[in-house]
Amino acid sequence: MEPLCYLNGKIIPLTDARIGILDLGVLRGFGVYDGLTSFSGDPFRFDDHWERFQTSANSLGLVIPHTKEEVRSAMRAIIAHNAPGKRANLRMVLTGGTAEKGIEHVLGRETLFITAEAAVPLPAALYERGGSLIRHEHQRFMPEIKTTNYLTAVMLQKKRADAVANEILYTSGNRVLECATSNVCIVKNGVIATPDADILKGITRKVILELASGAYPIQERVILIGELLAADEVFITGSFKDILPIVSVEGKTIGSGVPGPVTRDLTKRFETYARQAS
Amino acid sequence: MEPLCYLNGKIIPLTDARIGILDLGVLRGFGVYDGLTSFSGDPFRFDDHWERFQTSANSLGLVIPHTKEEVRSAMRAIIAHNAPGKRANLRMVLTGGTAEKGIEHVLGRETLFITAEAAVPLPAALYERGGSLIRHEHQRFMPEIKTTNYLTAVMLQKKRADAVANEILYTSGNRVLECATSNVCIVKNGVIATPDADILKGITRKVILELASGAYPIQERVILIGELLAADEVFITGSFKDILPIVSVEGKTIGSGVPGPVTRDLTKRFETYARQAS
């Protein structure tokens, strides 16, 4: 069965979904991105993703050429076709469309597309025993905005795979920032702490902080690398991986080397919430 | 007459030249770029551009899927068709091709395309009276590499146009770096000086320094903003604009406010050289 996607207002076969080579998205890397998940046919926390996507678009002077309801309906339709009854991952991209004079964006030419595919989750055993990070000194350009600029992330995938690591932790000086495609949290003495600046604030991060609120003290603040390495627990959050416990960073063991009680509790809370929200 | 382009080894109509939406070039902004000009059918200083393009590709772990001679022949063919007997501008892009798992580059999937169009030069009067720059605090990511990451440059085009300026000067702290799509040189007391680090070293910049060599003292070094504003002459260089005299930066007049003798001499030398090289 041929997968479908959404391109500029139409649902079409993915193999037919192509954009012109003069599109600013490819010629000049000028676009914004969002990744969403769906537990049972509906995009999870769609309102939050839409708001963030709009903010990203506005920052670049891009206008989304379709309404929120059109986009949500398109997502439901392509999920129903591509991954019926399954968990699905969605990617949404808005670019400047065909370049004027090779570099100028003309309002109204924007390209919008959405893909959906059955999720291929990380192995269950990885969630049980915990994953690992490699570290890279890097702060994303316009970090609060989710642009399509993932140069560093793409370049480091081989290094990550060679290290048999699950994510790349970006640090700046002695500060912990975020991972290439997820956020990071630490737990120390029962307190959850996570960076608050120079990062892309993920939707899963937001949900976890909501679910933790009241049950645990939460600190959104600068996190030093030393704190992360000395934490009782570390976990990362993202739409395509939920909560992944981290037990090793650059070869150094975190806490007792197994997923800790706070991470496990938050995972249960998230699973319950996701089931109810679906 | 329908323009042609080159895409993955084939010369095809530009309107048919499309890439898949899962190409890393659009999904993740993962690609490298080069811009070339042709005075009479052959790409100018092709060897230099090819070497730079290869260096850029290598830096990202990309492999150019066609040989130097194939690419040069393709350029000649599309110039001959799209802009016969005219000056032409070429753009060449290499991307990671179809993403694996949404973010991984797989060797051998690279996308390569080349466009050519009749050049639409800046007005002759602008070269006679001199142009202007606006300033923006920015250092390009991996500045020695010509990636497709032109987010800042695209975003600032409207501001540039509103200011009736010709280019955007990037500065970092009190250092002059480069312009969005060109290099910058200053002239003081007959000495030509140009930044040597944290910039993309343009091919036109290289040619100008060759042509100036022996005739003028040349300094490749850190240039402070104060030096630029106090210079006798300022000019910018690029494949699509050759040498453009600059007589105003952020509203401040440079030198006597008209193109100076060194800039005019280098322009003549460049025109002679370009005629001979064609």
Side-chain angles (χ1 to χ4, degrees):
Chain A
M1 193 193 61
E2 199 170 19
L4 300 177
C5 69
Y6 179 82
L7 174 62
N8 292 331
K10 287 181 187 154
I11 291 176
I12 60 171
L14 179 61
T15 50
D16 294 345
R18 303 172 88 76
I19 62 168
I21 58 175
L22 295 179
D23 191 293
L24 285 166
V26 59
L27 194 63
R28 301 296 188 175
F30 189 67
V32 294
Y33 173 83
D34 219 294
L36 305 86
T37 196
S38 162
F39 292 97
S40 58
D42 212 29
F44 181 62
R45 299 281 292 219
F46 178 75
D47 288 352
D48 289 298
H49 283 281
W50 183 257
E51 190 187 328
R52 181 170 74 181
F53 195 60
Q54 277 200 310
T55 302
S56 295
N58 288 346
S59 298
L60 266 57
L62 293 168
V63 173
I64 307 174
H66 300 282
T67 66
K68 183 175 173 179
E69 273 317 307
E70 281 177 296
V71 168
R72 192 203 291 250
S73 298
M75 286 184 174
R76 286 180 179 142
I78 61 175
I79 293 167
H81 183 272
N82 296 357
K86 292 183 187 158
R87 180 159 180 187
N89 290 339
L90 299 135
R91 300 179 200 279
M92 174 162 60
V93 172
L94 177 72
T95 79
T98 305
E100 184 70 23
K101 297 178 190 167
I103 198 162
E104 294 177 19
H105 165 227
V106 176
L107 268 178
R109 289 190 188 171
E110 283 86 349
T111 297
L112 175 69
F113 64 82
I114 304 165
T115 65
E117 59 188 7
V120 182
L122 293 169
L126 183 66
Y127 287 88
E128 281 157 35
R129 70 161 196 270
S132 65
L133 306 180
I134 56 171
R135 194 183 70 79
H136 184 74
E137 182 73 7
H138 180 60
Q139 180 176 314
R140 288 170 47 247
F141 180 63
M142 300 201 301
E144 300 85 3
I145 303 305
K146 208 164 174 68
T147 72
T148 54
N149 177 4
Y150 280 84
L151 262 177
T152 303
V154 176
M155 275 195 287
L156 290 173
Q157 288 305 316
K158 192 177 176 310
K159 189 179 174 191
R160 180 194 60 71
D162 289 348
V164 200
N166 306 102
E167 251 284 28
I168 303 140
L169 177 68
Y170 292 153
T171 58
S172 175
N174 55 2
R175 284 189 309 149
V176 170
L177 296 176
E178 61 191 331
C179 290
T181 63
S182 38
N183 289 114
V184 63
C185 292
I186 68 170
V187 182
K188 185 74 177 182
N189 300 326
V191 177
I192 298 170
T194 189
D196 65 336
D198 298 333
I199 61 165
L200 193 280
K201 292 188 178 170
I203 308 304
T204 309
R205 173 188 181 276
K206 182 180 179 181
V207 172
I208 296 299
L209 295 182
E210 286 171 9
L211 296 173
S213 176
Y216 303 94
I218 296 167
Q219 298 173 349
E220 295 186 66
R221 59 170 174 85
V222 169
I223 309 285
L224 303 178
I225 297 174
E227 282 185 272
L228 176 121
L229 295 176
D232 298 330
E233 305 178 34
V234 171
F235 60 88
I236 61 175
T237 61
S239 291
F240 296 169
K241 51 179 90 72
D242 304 336
I243 305 175
L244 178 66
I246 295 298
V247 296
S248 169
V249 176
E250 289 269 276
K252 296 203 174 80
T253 300
I254 301 296
S256 55
V258 294
V262 177
T263 305
R264 283 187 275 115
D265 178 50
L266 290 173
T267 299
K268 272 188 204 140
R269 286 170 189 255
F270 185 80
E271 284 168 357
T272 303
Y273 176 79
R275 245 193 323 271
Q276 286 167 352
S278 301
Chain B
M1 192 195 59
E2 198 172 17
L4 299 177
C5 69
Y6 179 81
L7 174 62
N8 293 331
K10 287 183 188 155
I11 291 176
I12 61 171
L14 179 60
T15 50
D16 295 343
R18 305 172 87 76
I19 63 168
I21 58 175
L22 295 180
D23 192 292
L24 284 166
V26 59
L27 193 62
R28 301 296 188 175
F30 189 68
V32 295
Y33 172 85
D34 219 293
L36 304 84
T37 196
S38 161
F39 292 98
S40 58
D42 212 29
F44 181 64
R45 298 282 292 219
F46 178 76
D47 289 351
D48 289 298
H49 283 280
W50 183 257
E51 190 187 328
R52 181 171 72 181
F53 195 60
Q54 277 201 310
T55 302
S56 295
N58 289 345
S59 298
L60 266 58
L62 293 169
V63 173
I64 308 173
H66 300 281
T67 67
K68 182 175 174 179
E69 272 318 306
E70 282 177 295
V71 167
R72 193 203 293 250
S73 297
M75 286 183 174
R76 286 179 179 142
I78 62 174
I79 293 166
H81 183 272
N82 297 356
K86 292 183 186 158
R87 180 161 180 185
N89 290 340
L90 299 135
R91 300 179 201 278
M92 173 162 59
V93 172
L94 177 70
T95 78
T98 305
E100 183 69 23
K101 297 179 191 166
I103 198 162
E104 295 177 18
H105 164 228
V106 177
L107 269 177
R109 289 191 187 170
E110 284 86 349
T111 297
L112 175 69
F113 64 82
I114 304 164
T115 65
E117 58 188 8
V120 182
L122 294 168
L126 183 65
Y127 288 87
E128 282 157 32
R129 69 162 198 271
S132 64
L133 306 180
I134 56 171
R135 193 183 71 79
H136 184 74
E137 182 73 7
H138 179 59
Q139 180 177 313
R140 288 170 46 249
F141 180 63
M142 300 200 301
E144 301 85 1
I145 304 304
K146 208 164 172 68
T147 72
T148 53
N149 179 3
Y150 281 83
L151 262 177
T152 304
V154 177
M155 275 195 288
L156 290 172
Q157 288 304 315
K158 190 175 178 308
K159 188 179 175 192
R160 180 195 60 72
D162 289 348
V164 200
N166 306 103
E167 250 285 27
I168 303 140
L169 177 68
Y170 293 152
T171 57
S172 174
N174 55 2
R175 285 188 307 151
V176 170
L177 295 177
E178 61 190 332
C179 291
T181 62
S182 39
N183 289 114
V184 63
C185 293
I186 68 171
V187 182
K188 184 74 178 184
N189 301 326
V191 177
I192 298 170
T194 190
D196 64 337
D198 298 332
I199 61 164
L200 194 279
K201 292 187 177 170
I203 308 304
T204 308
R205 172 188 183 277
K206 182 180 180 182
V207 172
I208 296 299
L209 295 182
E210 286 173 8
L211 296 172
S213 176
Y216 303 94
I218 296 167
Q219 298 172 349
E220 296 185 66
R221 59 169 173 85
V222 169
I223 309 285
L224 303 178
I225 297 173
E227 283 185 89
L228 176 123
L229 295 175
D232 298 329
E233 305 178 33
V234 171
F235 61 89
I236 61 175
T237 61
S239 291
F240 296 168
K241 52 180 89 71
D242 303 337
I243 304 175
L244 179 66
I246 296 298
V247 297
S248 171
V249 176
E250 289 269 277
K252 297 203 174 77
T253 301
I254 302 296
S256 56
V258 295
V262 177
T263 305
R264 282 188 276 114
D265 178 49
L266 290 174
T267 299
K268 270 189 204 137
R269 287 170 187 254
F270 184 81
E271 284 168 356
T272 304
Y273 176 80
R275 243 193 325 271
Q276 287 167 350
S278 301

